[in-house]
Amino acid sequence: MTKDDELLCKRLKELAFNTCNKGFTTYSEFLNLNELNLLLSIKKELPPVEIDLYGGYEGAERKMVCFYQFTNDYDRKFPIHCVRITPRNVKFCDVLTHRDYLGALLNLGIERYTIGDIIIKNKEGYVFCNDKMCNYIIQNLTRIKHTDVRCTQDDDLMMNVAHQFQEIRGTVASVRLDAVLSLAFNGSRSSLSNLITAGKVFVNSRLIESNSYTLKEGDVVSVRGYGKFIYQEQQNQTKKGRYFVVLMKYI
């Protein structure tokens, strides 16, 4: 565990104990998959409080942690807003990538942990951020690469984000993680196995380091640098003993 990991674990414990001892609801900053996995690893060391995870919309990858007491469930509202980023001249705007949006935000001096997911749809960007950063982004983000942009708060999107998926159907020798990764990302089983041992594969936000991990229907698999998919279902076996499976890959 690195020094940063230790500091994060300490911070999460402080938030949980504040909720337990003082009774009020607490929230972390946005956590990435590695950091969410750390939370799972220290769960037994936390006091008896309720835990919820949310990133601004269903299926978000970067999420805040909320610690609360069951009696204060009504008081739970994540401090997350959505900023809509629109080109001022759509006809002449650049084709902006996730990296372009993130780079422009970080160049404003914004810390990464204050920003959640960034979604790109129809030449517009949607940035999920904590409540302290919302107005700052709106007032200061005016240009991304060569494109002039305007920013507005659009929290309605938080209730209406619809993911787009590519359905992948195929057969695998087994429902082991390495075999399903090979189907999902159209690569060799051996090369994708290296991603597992390198600590780049997460199932339901938990780091998985075993190639033989068996997936269950509904599992969400995230692979750093490759993307993520839902292990939708396992259907019939073929005559050769292979398993027919259906995956829903995020696009």
Side-chain angles (χ1 to χ4, degrees):
M1 185 179 292
T2 67
K3 186 69 174 178
D4 287 342
D5 291 343
E6 292 175 358
L7 290 173
L8 175 61
C9 289
K10 181 180 178 181
R11 175 58 178 159
L12 293 173
K13 290 176 183 178
E14 287 176 351
L15 292 173
F17 276 100
N18 280 339
T19 295
C20 181
N21 297 331
K22 300 178 182 179
F24 53 76
T25 301
T26 59
Y27 301 91
S28 73
E29 298 290 359
F30 285 100
L31 305 184
N32 61 30
L33 289 171
N34 278 321
E35 292 163 340
L36 290 169
N37 183 66
L38 282 175
L39 170 67
L40 296 174
S41 72
I42 64 168
K43 202 168 182 180
K44 292 182 179 179
E45 303 173 38
L46 300 178
V49 294
E50 303 294 326
I51 299 176
D52 194 12
L53 304 173
Y54 187 56
Y57 67 99
E58 188 69 28
E61 185 163 294
R62 295 177 62 85
K63 300 175 183 177
M64 287 185 178
V65 183
C66 171
F67 298 104
Y68 67 100
Q69 293 188 346
F70 183 75
T71 53
N72 288 345
D73 187 38
Y74 64 89
D75 191 38
R76 186 158 46 99
K77 184 178 180 181
F78 282 82
I80 299 174
H81 293 296
C82 178
V83 176
R84 179 182 183 183
I85 304 173
T86 308
R88 290 188 177 274
N89 190 329
V90 176
K91 185 176 180 180
F92 298 106
C93 68
D94 295 317
V95 178
L96 300 174
T97 65
H98 183 280
R99 179 175 293 183
D100 295 328
Y101 284 98
L102 180 59
L105 290 164
L106 297 182
N107 284 338
L108 295 177
I110 295 173
E111 297 288 353
R112 185 65 179 99
Y113 58 75
T114 65
I115 304 170
D117 288 359
I118 300 172
I119 297 175
I120 303 171
K121 297 177 69 174
N122 302 324
K123 296 187 178 181
E124 294 184 331
Y126 297 87
V127 177
F128 293 86
C129 61
N130 68 23
D131 54 357
K132 297 177 182 177
M133 281 294 107
C134 182
N135 286 335
Y136 183 81
I137 293 172
I138 291 172
Q139 293 170 10
N140 292 279
L141 184 62
T142 59
R143 190 175 180 84
I144 302 177
K145 290 185 71 175
H146 306 293
T147 300
D148 292 328
V149 298
R150 67 168 61 89
C151 299
T152 55
Q153 186 173 331
D154 189 1
D155 289 347
D156 289 341
L157 183 74
M158 295 168 66
M159 303 299 293
N160 298 299
V161 173
H163 284 294
Q164 293 182 310
F165 295 96
Q166 173 193 357
E167 184 180 79
I168 299 175
R169 293 173 174 266
T171 62
V172 292
S174 72
V175 292
R176 284 170 41 129
L177 181 57
D178 55 356
V180 178
L181 287 180
S182 178
L183 173 64
F185 300 111
N186 194 28
S188 71
R189 191 165 172 175
S190 58
S191 64
L192 289 165
S193 294
N194 292 334
L195 297 174
I196 300 173
T197 55
K200 295 185 177 182
V201 180
F202 299 80
V203 178
N204 302 327
S205 300
R206 184 182 292 276
L207 177 66
I208 302 298
E209 298 179 288
S210 171
N211 294 338
S212 60
Y213 181 88
T214 301
L215 291 172
K216 302 182 294 296
E217 292 183 359
D219 281 347
V220 179
V221 182
S222 301
V223 183
R224 283 281 179 85
Y226 283 75
K228 66 179 180 177
F229 64 89
I230 301 172
Y231 180 68
Q232 188 78 1
E233 61 178 313
Q234 174 188 321
Q235 298 182 341
N236 299 330
Q237 265 187 293
T238 68
K239 292 181 179 180
K240 294 184 178 181
R242 293 176 65 85
Y243 296 89
F244 191 85
V245 298
V246 180
L247 313 177
M248 301 299 290
K249 187 176 181 181
Y250 289 77
I251 57 176

